[in-house]
Amino acid sequence: MNAEKEKATGTKANIQRDKRQLVLDATLELIMESGVQAASMSKVSKRSGVAVGTIYHYFSSKEAIITELYRYFKLEMLHAMKESV
């Protein structure tokens, strides 16, 4: 029974991670297409296929999504710089 519960928990974590990534991807696409102001939560929801309430479960605000995107790209740049040295 514990193995089944662990498997279900792992699957749930994967689904949560996937939804979170869908939100990040959709936000980035909208920002690149039309700017930050055009990336409303309702548009992010529609583009990502993730309900607005679920988005707020993962991120407290649009600014939190943008901050997460910033952190991701900052880390990517640092890794790229380290690899080029």
Side-chain angles (χ1 to χ4, degrees):
M1 182 92 169
N2 283 340
E4 289 177 18
K5 189 174 184 178
E6 286 178 23
K7 185 177 178 182
T9 302
T11 302
K12 184 177 180 182
N14 288 338
I15 291 169
Q16 290 175 342
R17 191 172 23 257
D18 291 345
K19 286 184 180 182
R20 194 171 185 280
Q21 191 60 51
L22 286 169
V23 170
L24 290 167
D25 292 344
T27 304
L28 181 59
E29 289 171 9
L30 288 165
I31 290 170
M32 290 187 331
E33 289 171 8
S34 305
V36 173
Q37 295 302 322
S40 67
M41 291 301 239
S42 62
K43 287 182 181 177
V44 170
S45 173
K46 188 173 183 176
R47 175 75 60 101
S48 67
V50 177
V52 173
T54 303
I55 294 172
Y56 280 110
H57 174 73
Y58 298 114
F59 303 98
S60 60
S61 65
K62 181 170 77 171
E63 289 78 18
I65 300 171
I66 293 167
T67 299
E68 183 67 25
L69 288 169
Y70 170 76
R71 286 181 184 153
Y72 170 78
F73 285 109
K74 183 178 175 182
L75 286 173
E76 287 296 307
M77 289 184 66
L78 287 172
H79 291 295
M81 289 171 59
K82 285 180 182 179
E83 288 178 6
S84 68
V85 173

